[in-house]
Amino acid sequence: QVHVVESGGGLVQAGGSLELSCAASGRAFSTHSMGWFRQALGKDREFVGAISWRGSRTDLEDSVKGRFAISRDNAKNTVYLQMTRLKPEDTAVYFCAASHPFMATTREAGDYNYWGQGTQVTVSS
């Protein structure tokens, strides 16, 4: 089992930046594709980005391309979501998740078995 914990959320003004971190347990961390999702109040959970188990491939939702970047450091068992030029519509609870081992990047929430508790990101106007 992979245990993941997100951190780095907070309050930021529009146009600002935040970096979210996702610390994961286990020696097998590097065999899991990792994903970031978010859920705004009253809305469905949506895909934000994903990264392959070796970090060679990334996938980002169109609405955040050019503003967000996803990366991982397997030596530290950590995945990052760098967010820049934040907008009020980015306000949401952000979740980190681990897929089944050796899966390619996926946008489907059902392909992720292990989820963090979420971290709140609030972007003010």
Side-chain angles (χ1 to χ4, degrees), residues 46-80:
E46 68 173 345
F47 172 79
V48 177
I51 187 166
S52 63
W53 64 86
R54 291 187 179 272
S56 58
R57 180 183 177 185
T58 60
D59 181 27
L60 290 168
E61 176 63 30
D62 286 346
S63 64
V64 304
K65 283 183 178 178
R67 299 190 298 117
F68 291 11
I70 187 170
S71 61
R72 69 190 296 164
D73 186 341
N74 288 345
K76 297 181 178 180
N77 284 1
T78 302
V79 178
Y80 304 95

Short mmCIF file of all heavy atoms in Angstrom, two decimals, residues 46-80:
data_model
loop_
_atom_site.label_atom_id
_atom_site.label_comp_id
_atom_site.label_asym_id
_atom_site.label_seq_id
_atom_site.Cartn_x
_atom_site.Cartn_y
_atom_site.Cartn_z
N GLU A 46 -11.92 16.98 -10.57
CA GLU A 46 -11.40 17.05 -11.91
C GLU A 46 -9.91 16.78 -11.94
O GLU A 46 -9.18 17.06 -10.99
CB GLU A 46 -11.70 18.41 -12.56
CG GLU A 46 -10.97 19.58 -11.96
CD GLU A 46 -11.17 20.87 -12.75
OE1 GLU A 46 -11.63 20.82 -13.90
OE2 GLU A 46 -10.85 21.94 -12.19
N PHE A 47 -9.47 16.25 -13.07
CA PHE A 47 -8.07 15.95 -13.29
C PHE A 47 -7.27 17.23 -13.46
O PHE A 47 -7.71 18.17 -14.13
CB PHE A 47 -7.93 15.07 -14.53
CG PHE A 47 -6.52 14.84 -14.98
CD1 PHE A 47 -5.72 13.91 -14.35
CD2 PHE A 47 -6.00 15.55 -16.05
CE1 PHE A 47 -4.42 13.68 -14.76
CE2 PHE A 47 -4.70 15.33 -16.48
CZ PHE A 47 -3.91 14.40 -15.83
N VAL A 48 -6.09 17.27 -12.88
CA VAL A 48 -5.17 18.40 -13.04
C VAL A 48 -3.93 17.98 -13.82
O VAL A 48 -3.58 18.60 -14.83
CB VAL A 48 -4.76 19.00 -11.68
CG1 VAL A 48 -3.74 20.12 -11.87
CG2 VAL A 48 -5.99 19.50 -10.94
N GLY A 49 -3.24 16.96 -13.36
CA GLY A 49 -2.04 16.52 -14.03
C GLY A 49 -1.60 15.15 -13.55
O GLY A 49 -2.05 14.67 -12.52
N ALA A 50 -0.72 14.53 -14.33
CA ALA A 50 -0.19 13.22 -13.97
C ALA A 50 1.25 13.11 -14.46
O ALA A 50 1.67 13.83 -15.37
CB ALA A 50 -1.04 12.10 -14.58
N ILE A 51 1.99 12.20 -13.85
CA ILE A 51 3.37 11.97 -14.21
C ILE A 51 3.66 10.48 -14.14
O ILE A 51 3.20 9.79 -13.24
CB ILE A 51 4.32 12.79 -13.30
CG1 ILE A 51 5.77 12.69 -13.78
CG2 ILE A 51 4.18 12.38 -11.84
CD1 ILE A 51 6.68 13.74 -13.14
N SER A 52 4.43 9.98 -15.11
CA SER A 52 4.73 8.56 -15.19
C SER A 52 5.67 8.14 -14.06
O SER A 52 6.25 8.98 -13.36
CB SER A 52 5.35 8.22 -16.54
OG SER A 52 6.59 8.89 -16.72
N TRP A 53 5.83 6.82 -13.89
CA TRP A 53 6.58 6.32 -12.74
C TRP A 53 8.05 6.73 -12.75
O TRP A 53 8.66 6.84 -11.68
CB TRP A 53 6.43 4.80 -12.60
CG TRP A 53 6.99 3.98 -13.72
CD1 TRP A 53 8.28 3.55 -13.86
CD2 TRP A 53 6.27 3.44 -14.84
NE1 TRP A 53 8.40 2.78 -15.00
CE2 TRP A 53 7.18 2.70 -15.61
CE3 TRP A 53 4.94 3.52 -15.26
CZ2 TRP A 53 6.80 2.05 -16.79
CZ3 TRP A 53 4.56 2.87 -16.42
CH2 TRP A 53 5.48 2.15 -17.17
N ARG A 54 8.62 6.97 -13.92
CA ARG A 54 10.00 7.44 -14.00
C ARG A 54 10.10 8.94 -14.20
O ARG A 54 11.21 9.49 -14.21
CB ARG A 54 10.75 6.72 -15.11
CG ARG A 54 11.00 5.24 -14.83
CD ARG A 54 11.89 4.63 -15.90
NE ARG A 54 12.16 3.22 -15.64
CZ ARG A 54 13.14 2.77 -14.90
NH1 ARG A 54 13.99 3.62 -14.32
NH2 ARG A 54 13.31 1.48 -14.71
N GLY A 55 8.97 9.60 -14.39
CA GLY A 55 8.96 11.03 -14.59
C GLY A 55 9.24 11.48 -16.01
O GLY A 55 9.37 12.68 -16.25
N SER A 56 9.31 10.54 -16.95
CA SER A 56 9.65 10.89 -18.32
C SER A 56 8.47 11.44 -19.11
O SER A 56 8.66 12.03 -20.17
CB SER A 56 10.24 9.68 -19.04
OG SER A 56 9.34 8.59 -19.04
N ARG A 57 7.26 11.22 -18.64
CA ARG A 57 6.07 11.70 -19.32
C ARG A 57 5.18 12.43 -18.32
O ARG A 57 4.98 11.96 -17.20
CB ARG A 57 5.30 10.55 -19.96
CG ARG A 57 4.03 10.99 -20.68
CD ARG A 57 3.26 9.82 -21.22
NE ARG A 57 2.00 10.24 -21.84
CZ ARG A 57 1.08 9.43 -22.32
NH1 ARG A 57 1.26 8.11 -22.26
NH2 ARG A 57 -0.03 9.92 -22.86
N THR A 58 4.66 13.56 -18.75
CA THR A 58 3.70 14.31 -17.94
C THR A 58 2.48 14.63 -18.78
O THR A 58 2.53 14.68 -20.01
CB THR A 58 4.30 15.61 -17.39
OG1 THR A 58 4.73 16.44 -18.47
CG2 THR A 58 5.48 15.32 -16.47
N ASP A 59 1.38 14.85 -18.11
CA ASP A 59 0.12 15.17 -18.76
C ASP A 59 -0.58 16.22 -17.91
O ASP A 59 -0.71 16.03 -16.70
CB ASP A 59 -0.74 13.91 -18.90
CG ASP A 59 -2.07 14.16 -19.59
OD1 ASP A 59 -2.16 15.10 -20.40
OD2 ASP A 59 -3.02 13.40 -19.33
N LEU A 60 -1.00 17.31 -18.53
CA LEU A 60 -1.67 18.39 -17.81
C LEU A 60 -2.97 18.74 -18.49
O LEU A 60 -3.06 18.75 -19.73
CB LEU A 60 -0.79 19.63 -17.75
CG LEU A 60 0.45 19.57 -16.85
CD1 LEU A 60 1.35 20.76 -17.12
CD2 LEU A 60 0.05 19.53 -15.38
N GLU A 61 -3.98 19.04 -17.69
CA GLU A 61 -5.25 19.51 -18.21
C GLU A 61 -5.03 20.83 -18.95
O GLU A 61 -4.21 21.67 -18.55
CB GLU A 61 -6.24 19.69 -17.07
CG GLU A 61 -7.58 20.28 -17.46
CD GLU A 61 -8.34 19.41 -18.41
OE1 GLU A 61 -8.18 18.17 -18.37
OE2 GLU A 61 -9.13 19.95 -19.22
N ASP A 62 -5.78 21.04 -20.03
CA ASP A 62 -5.57 22.21 -20.87
C ASP A 62 -5.69 23.52 -20.10
O ASP A 62 -4.97 24.48 -20.38
CB ASP A 62 -6.57 22.21 -22.03
CG ASP A 62 -6.24 21.19 -23.09
OD1 ASP A 62 -5.12 20.66 -23.09
OD2 ASP A 62 -7.12 20.93 -23.94
N SER A 63 -6.60 23.58 -19.14
CA SER A 63 -6.84 24.82 -18.43
C SER A 63 -5.65 25.26 -17.56
O SER A 63 -5.59 26.42 -17.16
CB SER A 63 -8.09 24.70 -17.55
OG SER A 63 -7.92 23.73 -16.53
N VAL A 64 -4.72 24.34 -17.28
CA VAL A 64 -3.58 24.69 -16.45
C VAL A 64 -2.25 24.63 -17.20
O VAL A 64 -1.22 25.00 -16.64
CB VAL A 64 -3.50 23.81 -15.18
CG1 VAL A 64 -4.80 23.90 -14.39
CG2 VAL A 64 -3.19 22.36 -15.54
N LYS A 65 -2.26 24.18 -18.45
CA LYS A 65 -1.03 24.14 -19.23
C LYS A 65 -0.45 25.55 -19.35
O LYS A 65 -1.16 26.51 -19.58
CB LYS A 65 -1.29 23.57 -20.62
CG LYS A 65 -1.45 22.06 -20.66
CD LYS A 65 -1.64 21.57 -22.09
CE LYS A 65 -1.74 20.06 -22.14
NZ LYS A 65 -1.97 19.56 -23.52
N GLY A 66 0.87 25.63 -19.20
CA GLY A 66 1.54 26.91 -19.24
C GLY A 66 1.57 27.62 -17.91
O GLY A 66 2.31 28.60 -17.75
N ARG A 67 0.77 27.16 -16.95
CA ARG A 67 0.75 27.76 -15.62
C ARG A 67 1.20 26.79 -14.54
O ARG A 67 1.85 27.19 -13.58
CB ARG A 67 -0.66 28.27 -15.28
CG ARG A 67 -1.19 29.33 -16.23
CD ARG A 67 -2.47 29.97 -15.70
NE ARG A 67 -3.55 28.98 -15.56
CZ ARG A 67 -4.13 28.66 -14.41
NH1 ARG A 67 -3.74 29.23 -13.28
NH2 ARG A 67 -5.12 27.77 -14.38
N PHE A 68 0.84 25.52 -14.70
CA PHE A 68 1.19 24.49 -13.72
C PHE A 68 2.24 23.56 -14.31
O PHE A 68 2.33 23.38 -15.53
CB PHE A 68 -0.03 23.64 -13.34
CG PHE A 68 -1.08 24.35 -12.54
CD1 PHE A 68 -1.08 25.71 -12.36
CD2 PHE A 68 -2.11 23.61 -11.95
CE1 PHE A 68 -2.06 26.36 -11.62
CE2 PHE A 68 -3.09 24.23 -11.21
CZ PHE A 68 -3.07 25.60 -11.04
N ALA A 69 3.03 22.95 -13.45
CA ALA A 69 3.98 21.94 -13.86
C ALA A 69 4.02 20.84 -12.80
O ALA A 69 3.93 21.12 -11.61
CB ALA A 69 5.37 22.53 -14.05
N ILE A 70 4.14 19.60 -13.25
CA ILE A 70 4.21 18.47 -12.35
C ILE A 70 5.58 17.82 -12.49
O ILE A 70 6.12 17.71 -13.60
CB ILE A 70 3.07 17.47 -12.62
CG1 ILE A 70 3.03 16.37 -11.57
CG2 ILE A 70 3.16 16.88 -14.02
CD1 ILE A 70 1.77 15.51 -11.65
N SER A 71 6.15 17.41 -11.37
CA SER A 71 7.45 16.76 -11.38
C SER A 71 7.52 15.77 -10.23
O SER A 71 6.65 15.76 -9.34
CB SER A 71 8.58 17.79 -11.28
OG SER A 71 8.49 18.52 -10.07
N ARG A 72 8.55 14.93 -10.24
CA ARG A 72 8.72 13.99 -9.14
C ARG A 72 10.20 13.77 -8.89
O ARG A 72 11.04 13.88 -9.79
CB ARG A 72 8.02 12.66 -9.41
CG ARG A 72 8.63 11.81 -10.52
CD ARG A 72 7.71 10.62 -10.87
NE ARG A 72 7.54 9.70 -9.76
CZ ARG A 72 6.58 8.77 -9.69
NH1 ARG A 72 5.68 8.68 -10.66
NH2 ARG A 72 6.51 7.96 -8.64
N ASP A 73 10.51 13.46 -7.65
CA ASP A 73 11.85 13.12 -7.23
C ASP A 73 11.75 11.78 -6.51
O ASP A 73 11.40 11.72 -5.34
CB ASP A 73 12.43 14.20 -6.31
CG ASP A 73 13.88 13.97 -5.96
OD1 ASP A 73 14.37 12.82 -6.10
OD2 ASP A 73 14.55 14.93 -5.54
N ASN A 74 12.06 10.71 -7.24
CA ASN A 74 11.87 9.38 -6.67
C ASN A 74 12.83 9.10 -5.52
O ASN A 74 12.51 8.30 -4.64
CB ASN A 74 12.04 8.32 -7.76
CG ASN A 74 10.88 8.28 -8.73
OD1 ASN A 74 9.82 8.84 -8.45
ND2 ASN A 74 11.07 7.64 -9.87
N ALA A 75 13.99 9.75 -5.52
CA ALA A 75 14.91 9.58 -4.41
C ALA A 75 14.33 10.11 -3.11
O ALA A 75 14.69 9.65 -2.03
CB ALA A 75 16.24 10.27 -4.71
N LYS A 76 13.42 11.08 -3.21
CA LYS A 76 12.77 11.66 -2.04
C LYS A 76 11.35 11.17 -1.86
O LYS A 76 10.66 11.61 -0.94
CB LYS A 76 12.77 13.19 -2.14
CG LYS A 76 14.15 13.82 -2.14
CD LYS A 76 14.06 15.34 -2.22
CE LYS A 76 15.43 15.97 -2.18
NZ LYS A 76 15.35 17.45 -2.26
N ASN A 77 10.89 10.27 -2.73
CA ASN A 77 9.50 9.78 -2.69
C ASN A 77 8.50 10.92 -2.67
O ASN A 77 7.53 10.91 -1.90
CB ASN A 77 9.29 8.87 -1.48
CG ASN A 77 9.89 7.49 -1.67
OD1 ASN A 77 10.50 7.18 -2.69
ND2 ASN A 77 9.73 6.64 -0.66
N THR A 78 8.72 11.91 -3.52
CA THR A 78 7.91 13.12 -3.49
C THR A 78 7.52 13.55 -4.90
O THR A 78 8.33 13.49 -5.82
CB THR A 78 8.67 14.27 -2.80
OG1 THR A 78 9.02 13.86 -1.47
CG2 THR A 78 7.81 15.51 -2.71
N VAL A 79 6.27 13.98 -5.04
CA VAL A 79 5.74 14.55 -6.27
C VAL A 79 5.39 16.00 -5.99
O VAL A 79 4.93 16.34 -4.89
CB VAL A 79 4.50 13.77 -6.75
CG1 VAL A 79 3.91 14.41 -8.00
CG2 VAL A 79 4.85 12.32 -7.01
N TYR A 80 5.59 16.85 -6.98
CA TYR A 80 5.36 18.27 -6.82
C TYR A 80 4.37 18.78 -7.87
O TYR A 80 4.30 18.27 -8.98
CB TYR A 80 6.66 19.06 -6.97
CG TYR A 80 7.75 18.63 -6.03
CD1 TYR A 80 8.72 17.71 -6.42
CD2 TYR A 80 7.81 19.13 -4.74
CE1 TYR A 80 9.71 17.30 -5.55
CE2 TYR A 80 8.80 18.73 -3.86
CZ TYR A 80 9.75 17.82 -4.27
OH TYR A 80 10.73 17.42 -3.40
#
